[in-house]
Amino acid sequence: LFGPPSIILYTMMRGLRLCVLLALAPVALGWAPMKRNTWARTTNVLDATKPIGIILAGAPASGKGTQCAKIVEDYGLVHLSTGDLLRAAVKAGTPLGVEAKGYMDSGKLVPDQLVIDLVVESLKSDECTTKGYLLDGFPRTLAQAEALASQGAVVDAFVSLEVPDGMLIERVVGRRTDPETGAIYHTTFDPPPAEVAERCVQRSDDTEEKAKVRLEQFHSNVAAVSGFYEDVITTIDGTGSKDSVYTGVRSALDRAAPPAASKSGASSDPRSTSEDQMERLAAVIEAMAP
């Protein structure tokens, strides 16, 4: 009825090989079991084949500038700051820059929509579409976040730096800038060198009173913006050292996509990673062949 014993045994062995192959294939491909019986790539190979979009959020003086510099160095992303974008557009005399200059010269705030148009224009540039982008402190309001999304901007990670208000005010009040180099120091945490200390100045809005006003504005919007990005948000304790804060930031970004290239020489070439996975899978298949 079932045929000779040798055929039965051969069929059973082939079936066993197939079961083992199916069990090992996900491991060979760098997959890992997740909740609800789904599978997700632990190596983020798919994410590495496309530019990533990152937003770094935080109150004034939370350390965004320092962390942005490290992120750009390690991940090769294009750093986008609305202040820098506005100044560059005005200097270049672009249509948006000319419009923004009219508001700035009259002492008025640049409208949200103009800022959004400026950001979207940058996101569509060849540099951003090939390297990915890092938005520094934008969007600041729910309306800006919704408008950005309506323009098709994809955000892979929203990283929020959390620092108590008292510490933020202390950082702001003690901040000093070298007008010649643009370097920023702090009277307590990072004093300027003796040779430049005398020429360092304090920004007119770096006072306790004005810092409190900016913090009130920040807190009135932060919950809504964070809620908009709840699926990709990571909150980082920003009270530690620059390096310890960056350890948390980098961990969050690595979950979105591996770094392009770091100073240490690390590389995340998606093609080579995929080839390595295929070689491992081929080895499994060969081992299971009769």
Side-chain angles (χ1 to χ4, degrees), residues 15 61 105 110-111 137 139-140 152 160 181 199 253 256 274 282:
D105 288 348
V110 178
R140 294 183 176 87
S160 178
T181 65
R199 70 171 183 245
L253 299 190
S274 298

Side-chain angles (χ1 to χ4, degrees), residues 8 12-13 21 53 89 113 138 145 212 216 235 238:
I8 297 174
M12 292 176 62
M13 291 300 295
L21 176 60
Q113 191 56 55
F138 184 89
K212 288 181 177 179
E216 287 176 4
T235 300

Side-chain angles (χ1 to χ4, degrees), residues 117-268:
D117 290 343
L118 194 60
V119 170
V120 171
E121 182 179 68
S122 298
L123 295 180
K124 292 179 179 178
S125 68
D126 291 340
E127 191 176 24
C128 284
T129 55
T130 55
K131 293 182 179 180
Y133 68 86
L134 169 63
L135 274 173
D136 180 355
F138 184 89
R140 294 183 176 87
T141 66
L142 178 59
Q144 290 175 345
E146 292 174 338
L148 198 61
S150 71
Q151 295 292 324
V154 177
V155 176
D156 297 289
F158 181 95
V159 181
S160 178
L161 304 179
E162 286 200 348
V163 181
D165 284 3
M167 183 177 290
L168 290 170
I169 292 174
E170 183 180 10
R171 290 180 180 181
V172 168
V173 173
R175 190 160 53 188
R176 298 292 185 272
T177 303
D178 181 346
E180 293 189 10
T181 65
I184 298 177
Y185 302 98
H186 192 278
T187 54
T188 302
F189 309 121
D190 185 21
E195 61 271 20
V196 303
E198 289 188 4
R199 70 171 183 245
C200 286
V201 296
Q202 182 181 30
R203 278 173 34 179
S204 60
D205 58 346
D206 277 352
T207 63
E208 183 172 349
E209 294 76 15
K210 292 183 178 179
K212 288 181 177 179
V213 172
R214 296 204 300 273
L215 284 175
E216 287 176 4
Q217 293 174 339
F218 172 78
H219 289 308
S220 66
N221 292 299
V222 64
V225 175
S226 299
F228 188 82
Y229 295 108
E230 62 181 352
D231 292 338
V232 292
I233 190 173
T234 300
T235 300
I236 305 295
D237 181 358
T239 62
S241 67
K242 298 174 183 178
D243 290 338
S244 65
V245 172
Y246 185 61
T247 297
V249 171
R250 181 159 184 163
S251 176
L253 299 190
D254 282 348
R255 291 195 292 272
S262 65
K263 258 187 154 181
S264 62
S267 173
S268 63

